[in-house]
Amino acid sequence: MLKKFMAKLGVGSARVDLVLRKQEVSLGEVIEGEFLVEGGKVEQKINHVSVDLNLKIRVKSQDFTKTISSIPVTSSFTIHPNEKKILPFTYQLPLNLPISRVGMSYHFATRLDIAAGVDNLDHDHIQVIPPQRFMNIIQALEASGFREKMDSGKFNGYSQEFEFFPTTVFRDRIKEVEFEAAIEEQGIRLLLEVDMASLPFGLGEKELKREVFYDNELLKDVQSLSVALQETIEEMLQNPQAHPASRYSRGHGHHGHHGSGLAGAMGGFAAGMLGGMMLEDLLGGDEEMETAAEEGDDEGGFDFFDGGDDEL
């Protein structure tokens, strides 16, 4: 009798543990693992087992947690004292999630819903990384003389944005290159933005945008991809009138036109979850973001793909 009473309080009751085959997973990859359910000291009825994939974004020491997906695992069953059950687990990551970085992390929250008792919870962190074909774009830009900025990969309120500054070939002609990416089955689509150092008199906008698509075959070869990126950027510089940033404008963002609506863009999932909340608003507006970006230039490049602690 005492054991049953204590189990209702969570002492000596059933427990659940999600065991993943690996903690580092790529966008679009199928995550595999299993739930280990272990009975306590008394027989208990389990209403269900479920797991949520949560995204946590930290802005100015304030955390925002949103559930990306709620996954039902099993319906009701009875677990006997010291009994062990193994339940399989698979989940495919969407392609349009933001990737992990400092201030942006993921965890699975598993719940063992115990009838007439205290639910048992389990938390497991994962690191979401881009697929290799996306990594090859980063390497191709580096091969073209670009270096990643300190704040690259931030969520701009609509998608995740990656920023680079030139160190060699384009140094006197370009202030920075930015892009948003949509990972598709046949390749990767980029909304490429080139911020020119200067423009001939009368041509107006210094920011040029162009949507480009690189197929998977090209994405396999970093050297060829580097050449293709250089050719695209050079064409934009030679013909700025054909690539005005204003055609993509929404009137938001620290350049006044972020949020192109690139279908399936990385981070687009987060934009939907956050209900259109703009990161710029949380950071204190455009001026503060511009200042942070300029300070990042002085500090040099930063490659968050090399790892680091993304725990919040």
Side-chain angles (χ1 to χ4, degrees), residues 58-300:
R58 171 165 289 184
V59 181
K60 279 192 169 182
S61 301
Q62 185 175 0
D63 292 336
F64 298 86
T65 300
K66 294 292 181 179
T67 299
I68 291 173
S69 183
S70 296
I71 310 157
V73 179
T74 183
S75 55
S76 64
F77 63 91
T78 297
I79 187 82
H80 301 287
N82 301 317
E83 180 185 3
K84 292 181 174 60
K85 284 183 177 290
I86 297 177
L87 306 171
F89 173 66
T90 60
Y91 174 73
Q92 184 170 14
L93 279 177
L95 286 170
N96 57 346
L97 294 177
I99 58 178
S100 298
R101 58 158 298 173
V102 175
M104 191 173 296
S105 68
Y106 294 87
H107 69 272
F108 282 109
T110 305
R111 178 180 297 274
L112 184 69
D113 189 313
I114 303 173
V118 177
D119 294 348
N120 183 249
L121 304 176
D122 179 47
H123 290 81
D124 298 270
H125 287 267
I126 62 170
Q127 181 158 345
V128 176
I129 61 175
Q132 185 58 48
R133 52 194 174 129
F134 179 90
M135 293 291 294
N136 288 349
I137 294 175
I138 305 298
Q139 294 175 22
L141 282 168
E142 292 174 348
S144 301
F146 290 93
R147 197 171 177 188
E148 196 163 11
K149 295 179 68 175
M150 286 292 293
D151 59 349
S152 178
K154 67 178 179 294
F155 177 64
N156 64 28
Y158 293 106
S159 61
Q160 196 166 22
E161 184 177 65
F162 303 89
E163 303 179 51
F164 299 78
F165 63 92
T167 61
T168 55
V169 180
F170 295 102
R171 187 170 186 175
D172 296 329
R173 304 167 66 194
I174 292 176
K175 184 178 179 181
E176 66 180 10
V177 169
E178 308 170 11
F179 70 83
E180 299 166 28
I183 300 174
E184 301 176 5
E185 184 177 347
Q186 302 301 321
I188 295 179
R189 191 174 305 277
L190 300 181
L191 180 62
L192 191 66
E193 178 183 315
V194 175
D195 289 0
M196 299 180 68
S198 63
L199 273 178
F201 177 77
L203 293 183
E205 288 276 356
K206 289 186 178 181
E207 295 144 357
L208 311 175
K209 279 196 175 185
R210 179 178 176 181
E211 189 173 302
V212 294
F213 179 81
Y214 298 123
D215 62 37
N216 289 332
E217 192 63 32
L218 178 60
L219 292 169
K220 292 178 183 178
D221 187 342
V222 172
Q223 185 174 357
S224 297
L225 183 57
S226 176
V227 172
L229 281 164
Q230 289 185 56
E231 290 176 347
T232 299
I233 293 170
E234 184 64 42
E235 193 279 329
M236 293 172 71
L237 294 173
Q238 292 293 333
N239 189 21
Q241 302 97 321
H243 307 289
S246 58
R247 79 173 64 173
Y248 300 95
S249 176
R250 275 189 182 177
H252 295 287
H254 74 270
H255 287 307
H257 57 270
H258 284 310
S260 63
L262 185 66
M266 292 166 58
F269 207 119
M273 290 191 302
L274 295 173
M277 177 181 64
M278 294 298 295
L279 189 60
E280 289 92 333
D281 296 337
L282 296 173
L283 291 176
D286 297 351
E287 183 177 345
E288 186 169 334
M289 289 195 71
E290 289 286 5
T291 301
E294 290 170 3
E295 291 174 350
D297 285 343
D298 296 333
E299 296 175 14

